[in-house]
């Protein structure tokens, strides 16, 4: 039943008078909505967020909308429950929460922020971490511990920025309050911020990886740079730039949030459907990937609002796990080892049968004999492998049964191809985890035989540097180009994506900041050929001059490849635009097609003293909405901008920023889109993601904060319901 509600602030039931102007304030809601109007000292508050949350359902639930140009709002399609409803917006103090239920009308009278400092606490993290003082270009290359405190392998300012973004920011939301303020626990013991930073980077169970990142930059340089940043903020420094409120179609967004997993376990990714068919698994469970934190895979039933878990098995019961890792005392958890994972589940995908696939660690690194020299496995004959860091598993929701597939190659991200064998392609992640190769599983063969050994394969990444159009004998990755031979490269696919328009497989290799290998980041095109182990040929393409640090990859139905760049850009590459030869000795460095690139500066501030054509903003990955699931258009790329705490879509050359305001510290690593019911229009579709930070407790909510599932929808206007 529809309820026509006329909303007013003060005595008038029909209009609000401000400066002599009459402003209509009628909001039409149903029995399943909450609607109303937000006004401030100067009238209606446009572009502010209205948040309704409840703990009455099986898991905590929240829905967030944005007010229109008259301050009006409608929070649509709420489950029957008691809600706390409140308002947040730039320039405002968070309103008091009001108890309400669906079918009710609420007016909010909000107050301005108490101060600029109070207002800035609501800014996305990049506005705070852009205060970081990046060493000037003149300090590079590094001159060692006795020189400028950076190793000689740190050769440029770009590599420094890439390291900050792709080794530090990619795991932790740097600008969140939990990072930009040093916990009292450390300061009380250290008495100076540099020592406190040394202590905090050794806290928790990731200290070994943290040490790797810190040594990559130089420990003294890290502690000096970051302590100066937090000292500056402690002394009262505020961001030199500020965000805008949502405007235009940004106000049409609806966010729905559910708690899942636990406050001690983080998530890396989530999946809802098959990328090739967004209608698959309609209204079904969402699955997560908890990486190092636990073997418990979270699930969410978004219809019944129920969060649960399933447990990933592994092959070696004696395998050590995160609980066995060395760790320091945490300011949040003390000496408790909050992570207990063994399987390092990194990425999760769904196939066309609704079965769920995970890149997961199943056993210690040493490979079985069928992977090594002397094996009859074709790929092992061509390129024997001694170790693998992560393997592959499959879960069947219909039966609850698992298949554990012991791959010879390391797995990281995974995506299904479009070929008759339904090939599952997997990246290795980085050079240290299996550089210079890419692996696959023939899933058609596996389904018929359940033989995970015979169904798998891998190939070296080899460039056709002799230019004859086929793969020949090749020189090694460290060898100079020989014009009579092809050349292998050490780059590893990090992101991976089979093309929907031809047989090519595209990958993206990380820059020095993540790979710690002295070579640039690339996007890579792999043509498998009839016998991929022996016929696959690669092409590499560097981002254009002035940009750097590709991370993540996706492809539209038009064949255009997208990546995000740590220089602060979203980039597209269209191979069809290339004019020069794409093989031969000059193509080994990847500079042969600058005309194929188009880059777009991500919105937000830039670090002081750096090229203003770039941005401090950072995105972890990119997803292309091939089928217009979100409603912004087909083939629209969406950057998972954890610097901006937003999903940033490029629509007709302009960015649409969908910032998630609550809880502060929105941080995601991938997106996936599903259509549950075409007949319901925007209500029957949406894109899905999850919290991706390794430390939810650094964000709003502290130790009580759960990872969340986020559903994002775009309605036709801010009052649609």
């Amino acid at each position: 039943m529809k309820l026509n509600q006329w909303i007013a602030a003060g005595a008038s039931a029909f209009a609000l008078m401000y400066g002599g102007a009459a402003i209509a304030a009628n909001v039409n809601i149903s029995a399943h909505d909450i609607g109303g109007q937000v006004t401030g000292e100067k009238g209606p508050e446009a572009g502010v967020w209205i948040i309704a949350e409840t703990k009455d359902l099986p898991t905590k639930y929240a829905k967030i909308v944005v007010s229109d140009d008259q301050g009006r709002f409608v929070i649509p399609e709420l489950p029957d429950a008691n809600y706390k409803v409140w308002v947040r917006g730039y320039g405002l103090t968070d309103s008091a929460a009001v108890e309400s239920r669906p079918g009710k009308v609420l007016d909010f009278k909000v107050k301005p922020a108490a101060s600029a400092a109070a207002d800035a606490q609501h800014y996305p993290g990049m506005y705070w971490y852009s205060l970081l003082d990046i060493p000037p270009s003149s300090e590079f290359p590094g001159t060692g511990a006795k020189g400028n405190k950076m190793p000689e392998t740190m050769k440029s300012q770009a590599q420094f920025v890439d390291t900050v973004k792709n080794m530090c920011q990619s795991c932790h939301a740097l600008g969140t309050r939990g990072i930009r303020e040093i916990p009292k626990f450390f300061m009380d013991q250290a008495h100076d911020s540099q020592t406190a930073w040394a202590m905090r980077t050794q806290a928790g169970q990731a200290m070994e990886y943290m040490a790797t990142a810190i040594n990559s930059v130089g420990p003294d340089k890290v502690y000096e740079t970051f302590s100066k940043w937090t000292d500056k903020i402690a002394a009262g420094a505020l961001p030199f730039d500020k965000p805008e409120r949502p405007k235009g179609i940004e106000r049409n967004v609806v966010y729905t949030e559910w708690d899942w997993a636990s406050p001690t376990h983080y998530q890396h990714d989530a999946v809802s459907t098959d990328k090739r068919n967004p209608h698959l698994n309609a209204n079904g469970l969402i699955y997560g990937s908890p990486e190092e934190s636990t073997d418990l895979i979270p699930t969410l039933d978004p219809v019944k609002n129920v969060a649960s878990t399933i447990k990933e098995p592994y092959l070696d019961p004696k395998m050590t796990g995160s609980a066995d890792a060395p760790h320091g005392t945490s300011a949040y958890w003390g000496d408790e080892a909050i992570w207990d994972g063994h399987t390092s589940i990194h990425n999760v995908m769904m196939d066309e049968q609704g079965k769920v696939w995970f890149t997961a660690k199943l056993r210690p690194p040493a490979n079985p004999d069928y992977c090594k020299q002397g094996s009859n496995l074709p790929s092992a004959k061509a390129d024997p492998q001694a170790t693998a860091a992560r393997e592959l598993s499959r879960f069947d929701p219909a039966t609850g049964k698992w298949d554990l597939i012991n791959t010879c190659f390391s797995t990281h991200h995974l995506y299904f191809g479009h070929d008759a064998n339904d090939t599952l392609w997997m990246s290795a992640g980085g050079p240290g985890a299996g550089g210079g190769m890419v692996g696959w599983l023939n899933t058609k063969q596996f389904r018929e035989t359940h033989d995970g050994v015979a169904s798998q394969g891998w190939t070296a990444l080899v460039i056709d540097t002799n230019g004859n159009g086929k793969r020949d004998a090749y020189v090694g990755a460290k060898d100079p180009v020989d014009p009579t031979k092809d050349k292998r490269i050490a780059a590893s696919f990090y992101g991976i994506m089979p093309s929907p328009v031809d047989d090519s497989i595209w990958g993206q290799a990380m820059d020095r900041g993540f790979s710690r290998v002295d070579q640039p980041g690339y996007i890579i095109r792999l043509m498998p050929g009839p016998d991929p182990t022996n016929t696959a040929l690669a092409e590499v393409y560097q981002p254009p001059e002035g940009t750097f640090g590709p991370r993540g990859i996706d492809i539209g139905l038009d064949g255009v490849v997208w990546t995000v760049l740590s220089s602060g850009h979203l980039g597209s590459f269209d191979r069809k635009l290339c004019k020069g030869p794409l093989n031969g000795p000059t193509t080994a460095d990847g500079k042969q097609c600058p005309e194929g690139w188009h880059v777009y500066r991500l919105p937000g501030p830039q670090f002081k003293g750096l090229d203003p054509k770039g941005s401090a903003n950072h995105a972890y990955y990119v997803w292309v909405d091939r089928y217009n699931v979100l409603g912004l258009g087909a083939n629209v790329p969406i950057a998972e901008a954890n610097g901006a705490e937003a999903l940033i879509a490029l629509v007709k050359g302009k960015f649409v920023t969908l910032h998630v305001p609550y809880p502060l510290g929105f941080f995601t690593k991938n997106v996936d889109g599903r259509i549950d019911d075409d007949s319901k229009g925007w209500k029957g579709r949406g894109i899905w993601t999850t919290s991706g930070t390794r430390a939810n407790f650094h964000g709003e909510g502290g130790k009580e904060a759960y990872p969340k599932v986020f559903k994002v929808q775009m309605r036709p206007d801010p009052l649609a319901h």
Side-chain angles (χ1 to χ4, degrees), residues 178-410:
I179 297 287
R180 67 179 183 256
E181 297 177 0
I182 302 177
K184 183 175 182 295
F185 173 82
F186 296 124
M187 287 299 293
D188 285 349
Q189 297 177 71
H191 305 297
D192 70 85
S193 56
Q194 285 201 39
T195 307
W197 263 97
M199 293 176 64
R200 78 187 308 195
T201 56
Q202 295 172 40
Q205 291 159 271
M207 63 183 302
E208 288 185 309
Y209 183 77
M210 293 286 287
T212 299
I214 289 165
N215 288 331
S216 176
V217 179
D220 290 340
K221 194 65 177 179
V222 168
Y223 305 143
E224 174 190 281
T225 302
F226 280 87
S227 64
K228 285 183 177 179
W229 173 60
T230 49
D231 284 350
K232 184 191 306 184
I233 291 169
L238 297 177
F240 52 81
D241 196 2
K242 60 175 61 177
E244 295 181 339
R245 289 183 180 181
K247 57 186 183 299
I249 61 174
E250 295 170 350
R251 296 178 182 172
N252 298 352
V253 70
V254 179
Y255 305 109
T256 310
E257 304 175 0
W258 295 262
D259 281 6
W260 70 344
S262 78
T264 56
H265 297 148
Y266 72 92
Q267 299 303 306
H268 192 280
D269 275 323
V271 74
S272 69
T273 188
D274 181 351
K275 183 173 179 67
R276 301 164 299 176
N277 174 18
H279 293 88
L280 186 94
N281 193 41
N283 297 304
L285 296 185
I286 314 298
Y287 294 84
S289 55
E291 206 179 34
E292 310 298 336
S293 66
T294 183
D295 302 322
L296 296 175
I297 296 163
T299 65
L300 174 77
D301 183 331
V303 176
K304 297 179 180 178
N305 303 301
V306 173
S308 189
T309 60
I310 55 177
K311 189 170 185 178
E312 164 83 45
Y314 44 96
L315 293 170
D316 187 345
K318 297 180 181 179
M319 188 166 63
T320 58
S322 298
D324 303 300
H327 63 280
T329 304
S330 165
Y332 296 85
W333 307 100
D335 292 319
E336 180 186 357
I338 61 171
W339 298 348
D340 56 5
H342 301 79
T343 48
S344 187
I345 305 168
H346 184 267
N347 201 209
V348 52
M349 286 295 146
M350 193 173 289
D351 67 19
E352 78 282 3
Q353 298 176 350
K355 294 178 181 178
V356 190
W357 297 73
F358 301 88
T359 52
K361 185 178 179 182
L362 305 179
R363 39 84 173 178
N367 271 345
D369 288 343
Y370 60 77
C371 306
K372 302 175 182 176
Q373 191 81 40
S375 167
N376 289 323
L377 198 63
S379 294
K381 286 182 179 181
D383 190 25
Q385 298 295 314
T387 62
R390 193 184 278 118
E391 292 77 41
L392 181 65
S393 66
R394 180 181 73 166
F395 176 68
D396 185 348
T399 64
K401 292 182 179 179
W402 286 88
D403 293 292
L404 304 182
I405 303 164
N406 196 350
T407 60
C408 298
F409 50 87
S410 294

Side-chain angles (χ1 to χ4, degrees), residues 90 137 168 218 273 315 337 379 404 411 437 480 494 522 624 718:
Y90 299 136
S137 298
C168 303
T273 188
L315 293 170
S379 294
L404 304 182
T411 66
M437 62 174 231
Y494 179 85
Y522 305 108
V624 176

Side-chain angles (χ1 to χ4, degrees), residues 312-559:
E312 164 83 45
Y314 44 96
L315 293 170
D316 187 345
K318 297 180 181 179
M319 188 166 63
T320 58
S322 298
D324 303 300
H327 63 280
T329 304
S330 165
Y332 296 85
W333 307 100
D335 292 319
E336 180 186 357
I338 61 171
W339 298 348
D340 56 5
H342 301 79
T343 48
S344 187
I345 305 168
H346 184 267
N347 201 209
V348 52
M349 286 295 146
M350 193 173 289
D351 67 19
E352 78 282 3
Q353 298 176 350
K355 294 178 181 178
V356 190
W357 297 73
F358 301 88
T359 52
K361 185 178 179 182
L362 305 179
R363 39 84 173 178
N367 271 345
D369 288 343
Y370 60 77
C371 306
K372 302 175 182 176
Q373 191 81 40
S375 167
N376 289 323
L377 198 63
S379 294
K381 286 182 179 181
D383 190 25
Q385 298 295 314
T387 62
R390 193 184 278 118
E391 292 77 41
L392 181 65
S393 66
R394 180 181 73 166
F395 176 68
D396 185 348
T399 64
K401 292 182 179 179
W402 286 88
D403 293 292
L404 304 182
I405 303 164
N406 196 350
T407 60
C408 298
F409 50 87
S410 294
T411 66
H412 199 67
H413 287 104
L414 71 169
Y415 272 101
F416 288 93
H418 305 267
D419 58 306
N421 291 325
D422 203 24
T423 305
L424 178 60
W425 292 88
M426 287 156 277
S427 68
M437 62 174 231
V438 61
W440 64 85
L441 185 80
N442 181 330
T443 60
K444 180 177 183 292
Q445 181 179 350
F446 178 75
R447 288 163 182 160
E448 293 171 351
T449 65
H450 288 274
D451 187 340
V453 176
S455 302
Q456 69 177 279
W458 61 94
T459 183
L461 294 178
V462 178
I463 300 174
D464 180 20
T465 48
N466 67 8
N468 67 359
K470 61 187 181 69
R471 183 157 135 187
D472 304 300
Y474 53 83
V475 299
K478 296 181 180 179
D479 298 324
V481 171
D482 180 340
T484 68
K485 296 181 179 180
D486 293 335
K487 179 173 174 57
R488 183 171 187 170
I489 55 172
S492 259
F493 281 23
Y494 179 85
I496 190 166
M497 182 56 62
S499 172
V501 301
D502 61 23
D503 295 332
S504 62
I505 311 300
W506 288 80
Q508 159 270 317
M510 300 298 285
D511 217 319
R512 188 268 182 204
F514 181 88
S515 70
R516 304 184 301 282
V517 173
D518 188 21
Q519 63 185 19
Y522 305 108
I523 61 170
I524 305 173
R525 180 180 188 258
L526 185 75
M527 282 301 294
D531 175 19
T533 295
N534 300 295
T535 60
L537 279 172
E539 300 165 0
V540 297
Y541 299 95
Q542 280 196 50
E545 194 71 29
T547 69
F548 53 87
R551 182 174 196 134
I553 197 166
D554 203 356
I555 308 174
L557 293 176
D558 53 6

Side-chain angles (χ1 to χ4, degrees), residues 142-150:
T143 54
K146 295 182 179 180
N148 63 9
K149 303 178 184 178
M150 290 184 288

Side-chain angles (χ1 to χ4, degrees), residues 44-125:
E45 293 284 0
V48 300
W49 297 282
I50 301 88
I51 300 153
E53 54 185 330
T54 182
K55 293 184 178 180
D56 286 0
L57 303 174
T59 192
K60 185 179 177 183
Y61 175 99
K63 190 164 274 192
I64 303 172
V65 299
V66 187
S67 62
D68 73 357
D69 59 355
Q70 297 179 44
R72 300 173 301 174
F73 68 91
V74 173
I75 309 174
E77 297 205 306
L78 291 163
D80 188 38
N82 296 299
Y83 291 87
K84 290 183 177 179
V85 188
W86 54 285
V87 176
R88 169 171 285 175
Y90 299 136
L92 301 178
T93 298
D94 285 352
S95 76
V98 176
E99 299 281 348
S100 189
R101 293 187 64 85
K104 301 294 184 181
V105 171
L106 300 174
D107 285 342
F108 288 93
K109 183 74 173 179
V110 291
K111 299 178 180 178
S115 64
D119 190 34
Q121 301 308 316
H122 293 149
Y123 291 2

